[in-house]
Amino acid sequence: EDWFAGPGGRLGWRGATMEQARAAARQGCPSVVLWRNLTGPHGHIALLCPSSPETGEPLIAQAGATCFKGGPLSKGFGKSKTLTFWIHA
């Protein structure tokens, strides 16, 4: 998250709401979702996949212990985490 707010901001990344990030992904813009782990060494990041609001929660693609594409946001992040969304437009 620090990179997106710092150097990433100078390279075109900006913070967004979940709906803004979904809309950007539908338009073909890179959109990511982050969870910052405040008690450990690393968090988690995934790409938002283009999906319509009618699908319910956003769809993501992720790599790691569990790899998938087009799965629900909760499959990668659970339901109780504070997430931030970033877009590059």
Side-chain angles (χ1 to χ4, degrees), residues 10-25:
R10 294 187 292 277
L11 297 171
W13 287 95
R14 64 181 175 88
T17 66
M18 180 176 65
E19 290 309 318
Q20 290 169 331
R22 288 181 86 173

Side-chain angles (χ1 to χ4, degrees), residues 53-67:
E54 292 79 29
T55 62
E57 68 182 294
L59 302 180
I60 62 169
Q62 72 170 33
T66 304
C67 300

Side-chain angles (χ1 to χ4, degrees), residues 1 33-38 42-45 77 81-84:
E1 186 174 9
V33 55
L34 303 173
W35 168 64
R36 184 175 188 171
N37 184 350
L38 299 176
H42 58 81
H44 188 57
I45 185 170
F77 291 89
K81 294 183 172 69
T82 301
L83 305 175
T84 59

Side-chain angles (χ1 to χ4, degrees), residues 17-29 31 51 87:
T17 66
M18 180 176 65
E19 290 309 318
Q20 290 169 331
R22 288 181 86 173
R26 284 193 300 274
Q27 295 172 1
C29 297
S31 304
S51 63
I87 61 176

